[in-house]
Amino acid sequence: MSATPTTRPVVTEREARQVAEAAREQHWRKPSFAKELFLGRFRLDLIHPHPLPADEDVRRGEEFLTRLRAFCETEIDSARIEREARIPDETINGLKELGALGMKIDPEYGGLGLTQVYYNKALALAGSASPAVGALLSAHQSIGVPQPLKMFGTPEQKERFLPRCARTDISAFLLTEPDVGSDPARLATTAVPDGDDYVLDGVKLWTTNGVVAGLLVVMARVPQTEGHKGGITAFVVEASSPGITVENRNAFMGLRGLENGVTRFQGVRVPAANRIGPEGAGLKIALTTLNTGRLSLPAMCAGAGKWCLKIAREWAGVREQWGKPVALHEAVGSKIAFIAATTFALEAVLDLSSQMADEDRNDIRIEAALAKLYGSEMAWLMADELVQIRGGRGFETAESLKARGERAVPAEQILRDLRINRIFEGSTEIMHLLIAREAVDAHLSVAGDLIDPDKSLQDKARAGAQAGVFYAKWLPRLIAGPGQLPRSYAEFRHGGADLSPHLRYIERTARKLARSTFYAMSRWQGRMETKQGFLGRIVDIGAELFAMSAACVRAELLRSRGENGREAYQLADAFCHQARLRVDALFTRLWSNTDALDRKLVKGVLSGTYAWLEEGVVDPSDDGPWIADTHTPATPRPDVRRTVPE
């Protein structure tokens, strides 16, 4: 069946922002530690004492981790996956038999019903054996069919699809298009109502798991017509439906075993019963799903940090230069210290955020986003430092090392594999903007109309009165706090181990961060949203403070339970000292930076002013469009969808 080419919507910058704003959760029904932190309020009571899982959850979780570890050690051949650029059928089937596809699915639907904490521990374990396996499990459960159905599906939909997801069918999430990334307002895939069905037409790009999936979550635009509200809508689609073609299996610099493709829909009929939620709710469903779904990436980043630390410790203790192990040379030792301290902090952020998600006492949308942002950035840095510590062997492939008789350490592979995490599920740049929007929500709620050009004078006057009341109470509280009292947070002081200075620093710095944000909003007002460099640094400061808080709280938890408490305090102390240096540098760069100069320079680059600088090289790129034209009817292409035989 030949489909009519879809027409891409023409969307202005303001309209795109309105679509994104309408999709976000508008209200805060529960407290948020990170939100309070950005407002200058260090609510340690929201995370300390550290929340803990129930004993039964621990028992079931540890039991599964034991089985998963045995499988990872005996049944996952990471070198083979890297060499063949695919996960073997028997490995996928083994994961199914193990129940790994249903880790987050309730037992009543055939799943394991693991908590977020143990789901993330499982992903860290599987991802350490093979990042491609970790990505397959994560994409299936964190953003694929199970999570949106768990949160928004009808009882009938759960009964139909969740048992399949738990045991047999891999799922995929399809939102991105060749010309649509973080701007879903321009989504071109359509779902046209036709009787009791919708008819899907369009092309989806970078469909992780899409090559092997049996079930798809597809975001498509429903036209607004009589009886149909329309808007971006979510559907569960059978991957074997007539009219679906996987046109390409994409290949990447890392995650070579990733089953990621290009999927075309041509007149695909989807029953209305497969629609998730009402029409127009697709983006809200996607964003809400990601609130906890984003924790899967920092889980694998924390696992990567643990592996980097292990290799750095073992190698740097054996390799000698100038009469002593390279670890004892300060230039190398500082890198190992960074890896160790940062790994401790990443695990602290992950476990704290995951346990808060399980308890459902707090709104963790900012915490999860910060965990994803911070984890992906810091894991990349740790892997880069590991390659540097390994020297030439870090640049050499594991296969080459093995061929000449040395341990096959895939350091260069983990660097390649981790790179995508700074782009997956919201790039670092988009995460900065998303978190910044949530961080200033309280300000926009009371004073947003003052800077909105579309609001009337009456609306602005009313907003001005509201803002006056809010800031009269809020601003004085930013002047002084417990961070200025030398005996504050004494419960984090035990003999020679003392983390209380770091907690006082966090409290003082949170107030400074809030004052800086308020000053910037007063200075730039409606132009604040264009100051992406400033907003990014504000968010990065908040991320460091959150990580410091999590590290201190985790260290105290381990001390109180007699689990390497002394060593945990040392790691937390080292991390906090390192983080404080980064925070101080970020504060300096808030106001002393090259943002204005960079904006001027980039205009010159785009206009060709500096094109002469590109002379003297050849471009090995092939000819072709920068973005594939998917608006024309498809040319016949083979379907490369892969069916995994059981």
Side-chain angles (χ1 to χ4, degrees):
M1 180 177 180
S2 179
T4 302
T6 54
T7 303
R8 189 165 305 284
V10 178
V11 181
T12 66
E13 181 179 6
R14 183 171 183 79
E15 289 170 338
R17 287 200 176 95
Q18 288 173 340
V19 169
E21 181 66 17
R24 63 177 288 273
E25 292 184 74
Q26 302 293 323
H27 304 290
W28 297 80
R29 292 175 291 275
K30 298 173 184 176
S32 165
F33 173 79
K35 178 191 175 188
E36 294 291 310
L37 198 65
F38 280 107
L39 285 171
R41 301 190 284 248
F42 181 41
R43 290 286 308 278
L44 185 61
D45 61 294
L46 293 177
I47 61 172
H48 175 69
H50 194 296
L52 294 171
D55 290 343
E56 177 59 18
D57 292 334
V58 173
R59 186 195 65 77
R60 289 190 298 109
E62 292 294 340
E63 181 183 86
F64 177 71
L65 288 181
T66 298
R67 292 190 290 121
L68 179 62
R69 173 176 288 277
F71 181 85
C72 289
E73 291 175 342
T74 60
E75 303 299 328
I76 295 180
D77 187 342
S78 181
R80 178 184 173 186
I81 293 172
E82 178 72 4
R83 184 172 59 253
E84 298 180 357
R86 61 182 280 167
I87 302 172
D89 294 345
E90 58 268 28
T91 302
I92 294 177
N93 286 326
L95 291 168
K96 293 178 180 180
E97 294 171 8
L98 194 65
L101 294 188
M103 288 187 285
K104 289 194 72 178
I105 298 174
D106 292 339
E108 65 179 297
Y109 301 112
L112 300 179
L114 297 186
T115 62
Q116 187 72 38
V117 168
Y118 275 96
Y119 169 66
N120 285 335
K121 288 180 182 293
L123 286 180
L125 179 59
S128 67
S130 168
V133 170
L136 180 143
L137 294 174
S138 170
H140 166 65
Q141 292 169 91
S142 298
I143 58 175
V145 172
Q147 190 67 16
L149 278 194
K150 178 180 178 180
M151 301 179 73
F152 300 100
T154 65
E156 294 76 16
Q157 289 172 336
K158 293 176 183 178
E159 289 285 349
R160 286 175 58 206
F161 297 120
L162 289 183
R164 292 170 57 185
C165 291
R167 292 291 175 181
T168 59
D169 287 62
I170 296 169
S171 66
F173 174 76
L174 280 63
L175 171 63
T176 304
E177 298 177 0
D179 199 26
V180 177
S182 300
D183 181 12
R186 300 169 62 247
L187 199 76
T189 297
T190 57
V192 178
D194 184 14
D196 293 332
D197 297 337
Y198 290 84
V199 180
L200 268 62
D201 287 290
V203 176
K204 295 295 184 179
L205 177 63
W206 296 324
T207 59
T208 297
N209 287 357
V211 179
V212 295
L215 290 170
L216 314 172
V217 175
V218 181
M219 296 292 167
R221 183 184 301 278
V222 177
Q224 185 176 5
T225 58
E226 184 177 351
H228 290 275
K229 176 185 176 181
I232 298 174
T233 306
F235 299 89
V236 178
V237 181
E238 297 279 358
S240 59
S241 299
I244 297 181
T245 305
V246 179
E247 294 188 337
N248 193 64
R249 183 183 185 274
N250 303 322
F252 303 100
M253 67 180 287
L255 292 182
R256 288 175 52 79
L258 195 68
E259 297 290 353
N260 180 293
V262 177
T263 304
R264 183 180 291 270
F265 298 86
Q266 294 179 280
V268 179
R269 302 193 74 85
V270 180
N274 286 22
R275 189 187 68 220
I276 308 175
E279 290 182 357
L283 282 186
K284 185 178 289 291
I285 289 171
L287 292 178
T288 304
T289 298
L290 281 172
N291 281 344
T292 54
R294 282 199 175 97
L295 291 174
S296 62
L297 285 185
M300 287 181 284
C301 289
K306 289 173 177 286
W307 183 82
C308 288
L309 179 60
K310 177 181 185 295
I311 298 302
R313 173 180 59 82
E314 293 177 355
W315 165 251
V318 170
R319 174 65 164 165
E320 290 190 0
Q321 292 282 273
W322 297 298
K324 59 183 178 181
V326 294
L328 299 182
H329 291 282
E330 189 173 277
V332 175
S334 64
K335 298 180 187 300
I336 298 174
F338 165 73
I339 294 173
T342 305
T343 296
F344 179 81
L346 287 193
E347 187 170 40
V349 166
L350 175 69
D351 280 3
L352 179 61
S353 300
S354 300
Q355 187 57 44
M356 288 195 292
D358 285 330
E359 291 192 341
D360 202 27
R361 287 190 296 114
N362 294 353
D363 187 324
I364 66 156
R365 73 182 84 162
I366 299 183
E367 286 85 347
L370 287 173
K372 189 275 176 187
L373 168 70
Y374 196 73
S376 60
E377 290 292 325
M378 300 307 277
W380 165 257
L381 291 176
M382 287 191 289
D384 186 57
E385 293 288 38
L386 175 64
V387 168
Q388 192 70 19
I389 292 169
R390 287 275 291 162
R393 290 173 173 85
F395 192 66
E396 191 173 1
T397 67
E399 186 176 20
S400 176
L401 288 164
K402 184 177 181 178
R404 61 182 186 78
E406 291 194 0
R407 183 176 299 185
V409 178
E412 59 84 28
Q413 180 189 334
I414 198 171
L415 188 66
R416 290 186 287 105
D417 288 343
L418 284 171
R419 184 60 182 83
I420 188 57
N421 291 333
R422 299 174 63 202
I423 302 170
F424 259 170
E425 297 180 22
S427 69
T428 291
E429 293 72 25
I430 290 299
M431 296 307 296
H432 277 150
L433 299 182
L434 183 152
I435 297 168
R437 171 61 186 88
E438 300 294 356
V440 301
D441 184 62
H443 299 286
L444 294 179
S445 296
V446 298
D449 287 355
L450 283 172
I451 59 177
D452 189 336
D454 293 338
K455 295 298 181 180
S456 66
L457 290 177
Q458 184 178 8
D459 290 334
K460 291 180 182 292
R462 185 162 47 247
Q466 292 176 339
V469 173
F470 173 80
Y471 289 118
K473 295 180 180 179
W474 179 69
L475 285 171
R477 297 174 183 172
L478 301 182
I479 298 173
Q484 295 165 287
L485 303 177
R487 297 187 182 276
S488 295
Y489 311 111
E491 65 268 34
F492 288 83
R493 184 187 304 122
H494 301 278
D498 190 1
L499 296 177
S500 63
H502 299 307
L503 293 163
R504 291 194 292 273
Y505 174 88
I506 296 169
E507 196 279 333
R508 294 193 307 272
T509 307
R511 288 187 280 111
K512 181 179 179 181
L513 180 63
R515 293 194 301 268
S516 299
T517 304
F518 175 74
Y519 172 72
M521 292 187 68
S522 303
R523 175 180 176 181
W524 291 314
Q525 298 185 29
R527 292 182 294 128
M528 180 78 162
E529 64 184 16
T530 68
K531 304 297 181 180
Q532 295 180 1
F534 178 90
L535 292 172
R537 294 176 198 112
I538 286 288
V539 169
D540 285 340
I541 292 170
E544 295 282 6
L545 297 182
F546 178 43
M548 291 174 66
S549 303
C552 290
V553 169
R554 180 174 180 81
E556 174 56 20
L557 169 68
L558 295 178
R559 185 208 64 80
S560 68
R561 300 177 66 171
E563 299 175 2
N564 302 304
R566 179 171 173 270
E567 293 79 11
Y569 259 63
Q570 292 170 347
L571 287 164
D573 181 51
F575 173 76
C576 288
H577 277 295
Q578 294 170 9
R580 287 170 71 159
L581 293 176
R582 294 191 291 266
V583 168
D584 292 345
L586 285 165
F587 267 115
T588 298
R589 291 180 56 214
L590 284 181
W591 312 110
S592 179
N593 53 64
T594 62
D595 291 352
L597 184 62
D598 294 344
R599 286 193 296 271
K600 181 178 180 181
L601 187 63
V602 77
K603 290 180 180 178
V605 171
L606 291 178
S607 68
T609 301
Y610 313 113
W612 52 269
L613 191 57
E614 302 163 10
E615 296 173 2
V617 298
V618 294
D619 183 359
S621 307
D622 200 355
D623 292 333
W626 287 104
I627 299 171
D629 183 5
T630 59
H631 305 154
T632 57
T635 55
R637 300 188 65 176
D639 187 356
V640 298
R641 178 171 179 259
R642 170 185 164 200
T643 301
V644 179
E646 296 187 18

